[in-house]
């Protein structure tokens, strides 16, 4: 993950105080106060999961779907999922809580089940997807509970079964790279569950692109390996999302966990040469910054101007951000209006280069 530049996604600059520079067709904004050093770019992402989810069809839900629960404190949420078919959005039937039951897979004996929340109650709790909530009435680690419904669901409709075990000691800890450089098809992934060692065969991966495409992926030796190169650059339409499903044994019981880890696919689309700063008089300064871009689009630079005080100490004078459309080679002109005078040599510090079209930020080293 270490490289000459660090990259991360950001929101576009917006400011009602921005002034248009018509000569260079650029937008210039001077911050009212000198800005602090930019935050360290996100290198990796960490999450902990005590839940799992899986998509099932209406047919499977009527036949029976296994649920894996290892503690009394849990929630089983079942939600209808809309699907696209021939350009049309098809929404499944809403679920009826009183139509659900739980049976043992082998004996077909009915198992105790506790209804937690119907659709209306789930909506009050913040779930506005037509879901219902329930839990098992007993947890003994034996047999295999199967969740059934007698509701007349369409066979091809899709539903989400989501099991949450709050406070579980069997928590999945995931850590992934947040940035994947262009042309790479491997993403570093660390997956741990306490003392339980996860093998490659215990992990199933799915990769979702920002445009909704699903890309094949597999887990091997602490890495996610993708079936094909990633094509979408940046985060203008969101992140790539790696979904990991874990299936393992802990103390003789089957434990399932799911986690989603976003990351950004990037390349350095803008680079800069040495900036030149000149004093214009009256505490006014201008920096010219030559840049080169790989793809046309709107780019920005933010930097703080420094100079030397009479005692030789380096002081910060002002922070300015400039944005413009670029194609190939170009140049930013950064006007600084300081409240105090300073002597040469003048330098730009805390420089950030932004690809606003693709939502990428670069910090020159």
């Amino acid at each position: 993950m270490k490289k000459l530049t660090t990259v991360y996604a950001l929101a576009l600059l917006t400011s009602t105080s921005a002034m248009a520079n018509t000569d260079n067709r650029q937008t210039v904004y001077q911050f009212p106060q000198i800005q602090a050093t930019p935050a360290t770019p996100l290198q990796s992402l960490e999450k902990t999961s005590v839940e799992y989810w899986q998509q099932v069809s209406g047919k499977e839900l009527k036949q029976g779907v296994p649920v894996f629960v290892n503690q009394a404190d849990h929630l089983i949420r079942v939600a209808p999922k809309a699907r696209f078919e021939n350009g049309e959005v098809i929404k499944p039937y809403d679920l009826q809580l009183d139509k659900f039951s739980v049976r043992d897979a082998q004996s077909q004996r009915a198992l105790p089940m506790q209804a937690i929340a119907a659709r209306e109650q789930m909506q009050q709790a913040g779930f506005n997807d037509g879901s219902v909530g329930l839990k098992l009435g007993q947890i003994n680690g034996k047999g295999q509970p199967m969740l059934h419904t007698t509701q007349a669901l369409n066979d091809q409709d899709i539903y989400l079964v989501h099991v949450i075990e709050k406070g579980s000691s069997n928590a999945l800890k995931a850590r992934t790279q947040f940035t994947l450089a262009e042309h790479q098809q491997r993403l570093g992934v660390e997956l741990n569950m306490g003392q339980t060692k996860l093998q490659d065969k215990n992990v199933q991966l799915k990769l979702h692109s920002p445009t909704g495409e699903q890309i094949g992926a597999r887990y091997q030796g602490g890495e996610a390996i993708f079936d094909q190169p990633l094509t979408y650059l940046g985060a203008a339409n969101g992140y790539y999302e790696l979904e990991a499903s874990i299936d393992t044994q802990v103390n003789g019981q089957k434990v399932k966990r799911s986690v989603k880890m976003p990351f950004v696919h990037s390349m350095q689309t803008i680079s800069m040469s040495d900036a030149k700063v000149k004093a214009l008089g009256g505490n006014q300064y201008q920096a010219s910054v030559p840049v080169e871009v790989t793809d046309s689009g709107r780019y920005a630079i933010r930097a703080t101007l420094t100079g030397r005080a009479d005692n030789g100490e380096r002081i910060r004078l002002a922070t300015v951000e400039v944005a413009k459309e670029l194609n190939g080679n170009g140049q930013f002109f950064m006007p600084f209006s300081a409240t105090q005078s300073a002597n040469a040599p003048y330098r730009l510090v805390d420089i950030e280069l932004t690809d606003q079209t693709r939502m990428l930020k670069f910090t020159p080293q």
Side-chain angles (χ1 to χ4, degrees):
M1 282 256 332
K2 295 183 179 178
K3 38 186 170 301
L4 296 179
T5 58
T6 50
V7 191
Y8 62 102
L10 83 165
L12 294 173
L13 169 71
T14 57
S15 172
T16 56
S17 302
M19 302 171 291
N21 185 323
T22 55
D23 292 338
N24 297 304
R25 290 178 295 177
Q26 63 180 26
T27 299
V28 178
Y29 176 72
Q30 177 163 322
F31 291 85
Q33 297 179 332
I34 296 171
Q35 297 299 289
T37 301
T40 302
L42 186 61
Q43 300 292 318
S44 62
L45 185 67
E46 296 184 18
K47 282 188 178 182
T48 299
S49 172
V50 291
E51 58 191 304
Y52 83 87
W53 54 80
Q54 68 182 96
Q55 289 191 3
V56 299
S57 67
K59 182 178 181 179
E60 290 173 310
L61 205 50
K62 289 182 290 186
Q63 292 175 340
V65 175
V67 286
F68 301 92
V69 177
N70 303 107
Q71 66 179 37
D73 187 6
H74 69 274
L75 171 69
I76 302 172
R77 183 173 71 95
V78 189
K81 300 288 290 184
R83 73 181 194 277
F84 294 91
E85 194 172 285
N86 298 323
E88 191 177 348
V89 179
I90 300 177
K91 190 178 184 304
Y93 290 124
D94 285 340
L95 295 166
Q96 299 174 27
L97 184 56
D98 60 358
K99 300 292 185 181
F100 279 97
S101 64
V102 179
R103 294 183 178 276
D104 180 75
Q106 292 184 347
S107 68
Q108 291 299 305
R109 179 175 58 89
L111 300 176
M113 187 198 83
Q114 180 182 351
I116 298 297
R119 293 190 308 275
E120 295 77 10
Q121 294 166 300
M122 293 293 282
Q123 288 175 350
Q124 293 172 3
F127 295 101
N128 297 314
D129 52 8
S131 61
V132 296
L134 52 96
K135 65 186 297 185
L136 304 184
Q138 65 181 31
I139 307 294
N140 58 19
K142 297 179 181 179
Q144 177 56 67
M146 303 288 289
L147 180 66
H148 294 255
T149 182
T150 56
Q151 189 175 343
L153 305 179
N154 290 328
D155 286 352
Q156 68 273 27
D157 282 345
I158 300 299
Y159 293 86
L160 180 74
V161 176
H162 185 187
V163 178
I164 307 168
E165 297 185 286
K166 187 176 180 180
S168 172
S169 58
N170 297 323
L172 172 67
K173 295 184 178 180
R175 179 177 178 175
T176 59
Q177 291 175 244
F178 185 67
T179 302
L180 183 70
E182 189 189 29
H183 303 311
Q184 291 187 18
Q185 287 179 239
R186 296 170 178 261
L187 184 79
V189 180
E190 295 178 18
L191 298 170
N192 299 287
M193 187 182 291
Q195 301 301 314
T196 302
K197 182 175 178 57
L198 297 174
Q199 301 178 16
D200 293 356
K201 66 180 182 180
N202 298 132
V203 182
Q204 299 296 320
L205 299 179
K206 294 179 182 178
L207 179 63
H208 308 276
S209 80
T211 55
E213 178 188 8
Q214 185 166 315
I215 299 167
R218 70 183 188 277
Y219 184 71
Q220 181 178 319
E223 289 184 314
I225 302 175
F226 308 134
D227 291 349
Q228 62 191 61
L230 306 189
T231 57
Y232 182 83
L233 189 67
N237 288 326
Y239 301 113
Y240 276 93
E241 191 171 56
L242 184 68
E243 180 177 347
S245 298
I246 311 303
D247 188 331
T248 189
Q249 293 281 333
V250 179
N251 297 325
Q253 289 186 310
K254 189 170 184 177
V255 177
K256 295 189 70 171
R257 292 289 180 258
S258 302
V259 67
K260 290 182 178 179
M261 306 295 286
F263 67 91
V264 63
H265 175 224
S266 70
M267 65 174 286
Q268 184 165 346
T269 54
I270 179 171
S271 59
M272 61 172 282
S273 302
D274 292 339
K276 295 181 179 180
V277 183
K278 60 182 178 180
L280 304 178
N283 298 339
Q284 305 296 308
Y285 307 86
Q286 179 171 278
S288 57
V289 186
V291 293
E292 183 176 355
V293 301
T294 60
D295 298 278
S296 61
R298 186 169 178 82
Y299 293 83
I301 183 173
R302 191 187 90 165
T304 296
L305 177 65
T306 68
R308 289 201 177 276
D310 292 338
N311 63 3
E313 179 185 356
R314 184 156 291 278
I315 56 176
R316 294 169 178 253
L317 300 173
T319 302
V320 164
E321 183 154 5
V322 176
K324 66 188 298 185
E325 296 287 333
L326 290 171
N327 183 13
N329 296 325
Q331 192 161 209
F332 287 113
F333 296 96
M334 306 183 72
F336 293 87
S337 180
T339 58
Q340 58 182 318
S341 60
N343 305 312
Y346 305 105
R347 296 176 186 167
L348 297 183
V349 299
D350 299 339
I351 301 172
E352 292 181 329
L353 297 170
T354 304
D355 181 340
Q356 293 185 339
T357 298
R358 282 153 284 274
M359 298 285 280
L360 295 169
K361 180 178 283 189
F362 307 85
T363 305
Q365 298 295 310

